[in-house]
Each structure stands twice: as C-alpha cells, then as structure tokens.
Amino acid sequence: MDPESTLSALRDFSADRLGPELAARFVELARPGFALTEAESPGEVAGHSRFGGRAMLEPGTPWPTCDGFPLSLIAVLDTDALAPWLGDVLPAGTGLLNFFFLDAESEQCDPASYDLMSKYGHYEVEVSSVIAARSAHAVETSPPVRSSVFDPVPWAATPGFAFPDTWDPAWNGFDVGPDADDMARAMPGDYVENRLTEWSQRPGALDSEDIAFGWPRFPTGSSPMVPFGKDPTHYHHLLQLSSHDEWAIGGDGGWMHWAIPTDALRTGDFGQAVPTPDIW
C-alpha cells in the first residue's frame, strides 16, 4: 500500500480498539519509517543502504574524527531509495547518509579508542557524525588507518509507520479523553497500548530491531538522551541499530540511535545530528 492508504487502514484498525476520537489523536503520532533487514537478493536492496562496508562520500569530504582519531563507518542509508514513503520528512535529493561512530567495542577497535570513549562517553557529539552525500557524486571511500571496517550487510527496507514507545516524552500532555482515569492520564502510552489488541497485526507494522526514521525504541524504559537543555520532542529519529556480529555498543549491550533537530532535518543540516543510544 501507499502511505496514505496505509495510514487510513491504521486509523480504522485503531478506531476499532480506541474509538474514533482517541484513534485520530493517536495516529497523529505516527511517523513513516522502515524496518531494515538483511536483503536476501540484490533486487531487495534499498539502493546503497547497508550496515558496515565503506563510506559513500563526495570527493574532498573530510573523514570525521574525534580529537584527531578517525571514527568508523557504521551504516549507510540511501534516502533517495526511501524518499517516496517519507514524504516531506527530509529535503528532496538528500542522497546518502553515512553514520559514523567511535568504535571502542569491536574486536577491530584500536586501543586508543578506549581513552577517548572514557573521556567523552557514548552520548557526546564528539564520538559521532552523520554525513550526507549526493548520490550522483558519492564514491566508495577507503577509511584512514585505525578506523574499523565491518563486513557489509545490504539492507532491504520495508516501509511502515512507527509510534513513540511508552516512555517517550512525545506522550506528555496526550489527551486520553474524558472517560480515562488518573492513571491513564499519568501514563497515556501504557493506557493506549493496553487497549490496542493484536497490535502486531496492524497495517504498516515495523517488525525489526533495526529501523530507519520513524520513532526510536528504548528497551531500558528511557527516552532519547539529547544534549543537555534541549527538548527531545524537537528531535526526529534517524536510525536505530541493534547489535551485529562484528559490532555492538555499551559493554553488556545496547541499541544505537541517531537523532537530529527536526528543523535541521528539514533543511538537510546533518551536522546537527547527535547520538542517542540506549545502553544496558
């Protein structure tokens, strides 16, 4: 289905369980996104979208560093291939998004990365970078010495709509209706979720731990850790990554996320993207 038809079906599905008024407010929270899974054939790959491999940068683009130490390419999203489902979420012609992070976890990582990660931590902008490249100009770029290179895993991208998890600040002030009790008003996300029976069968479900755009999921029950003093409701999710064979985050485990101020996303200013991981 196309985005409009999927949203219409999602409203009907939600209205059957929440009533039309609450369902309409709930579906307003929906954001278009993609479930990312390993492509089983070349024809399934969403353009150049993949975990790992080499960066796709325009010639002359500096490789991102942390205090002079090179970051590692973690993933590439081909937004030209994803654009028809995203609508006006990001500017036309954004092209390829390269996601970099300081690799201090994998077997490849350089020991010098430990001190840098101890200095900054996983949530600071110094250890992360998102660089856009126009598809017609981007070329596969070899990394500098001490940057990790992970085996590429091409992604298929299944479109759908994501919703904020129950602890996301997007629920703050959500109107659950006049008949809801005080507990429902205190925890509107839980209230709505508990009434949505057969939720996994909804139209446009995103069934994956790796997700592009949409909303982030935080298994630890937290919310996006944006820079101090910033409002997380003014940020848009870019990419969620679970652990992969060669790369993980956060010691015992975690899911990696990147987010960006919504205004910066609309203008294509990916230099304002920040890491917002969920670590346990």
Side-chain angles (χ1 to χ4, degrees):
M1 287 193 291
D2 59 83
E4 292 75 17
S5 299
T6 304
L7 268 181
S8 178
L10 187 54
R11 289 190 191 95
D12 292 342
F13 177 95
S14 301
D16 289 343
R17 294 155 176 80
L18 302 174
E21 293 183 1
L22 181 56
R25 292 192 292 274
F26 172 61
V27 173
E28 286 181 358
L29 294 175
R31 286 181 177 175
F34 298 85
L36 302 173
T37 55
E38 183 174 354
E40 296 183 359
S41 68
E44 290 185 353
V45 182
H48 295 283
S49 300
R50 54 177 160 75
F51 167 81
R54 298 183 184 275
M56 297 288 293
L57 302 175
E58 295 186 30
T61 301
W63 191 275
T65 62
C66 174
D67 288 2
F69 184 90
L71 304 183
S72 297
L73 187 281
I74 306 299
V76 176
L77 283 182
D78 189 336
T79 69
D80 290 343
L82 307 179
W85 189 265
L86 292 175
D88 60 356
V89 169
L90 75 173
T94 294
L96 307 173
L97 296 181
N98 296 267
F99 292 82
F100 296 88
F101 199 68
L102 176 64
D103 176 27
E105 314 283 351
S106 80
E107 293 182 359
Q108 297 185 46
C109 72
D110 188 294
S113 65
Y114 305 151
D115 292 337
L116 286 171
M117 191 61 81
S118 296
K119 175 182 177 180
Y120 289 108
H122 293 81
Y123 301 91
E124 299 303 319
V125 297
E126 286 83 359
V127 302
S128 172
S129 182
V130 177
I131 299 178
R134 293 168 295 175
S135 297
H137 300 269
V139 294
E140 195 168 90
T141 303
S142 297
V145 176
R146 300 198 294 174
S147 178
S148 302
V149 181
F150 305 108
D151 289 339
V153 179
W155 275 326
T158 303
F161 286 91
F163 289 83
D165 69 21
T166 55
W167 298 102
D168 197 288
W171 289 103
N172 294 345
F174 182 81
D175 181 5
V176 291
D179 298 328
D181 58 22
D182 290 342
M183 181 61 72
R185 298 181 194 287
M187 302 184 69
D190 274 338
Y191 173 73
V192 171
E193 184 177 286
N194 290 336
R195 294 182 61 182
L196 287 169
T197 59
E198 301 174 317
W199 182 233
S200 63
Q201 304 303 313
R202 70 193 183 279
L206 296 180
D207 185 17
S208 177
E209 292 182 352
D210 296 343
I211 293 177
F213 297 98
W215 289 90
R217 291 169 55 199
F218 288 86
T220 60
S222 61
S223 61
M225 297 288 288
V226 299
F228 180 75
K230 302 295 184 179
D231 185 347
T233 64
H234 293 168
Y235 280 71
H236 199 102
H237 184 241
L238 291 175
L239 180 63
Q240 169 180 305
L241 286 183
S242 59
S243 296
H244 286 255
D245 290 343
E246 293 185 275
W247 180 79
I249 185 172
D252 289 338
W255 284 2
M256 185 61 202
H257 301 271
W258 285 267
I260 187 172
T262 303
D263 289 344
L265 177 60
R266 289 172 179 159
T267 61
D269 183 6
F270 291 96
Q272 295 193 49
V274 296
T276 57
D278 188 30
I279 297 172
W280 52 82

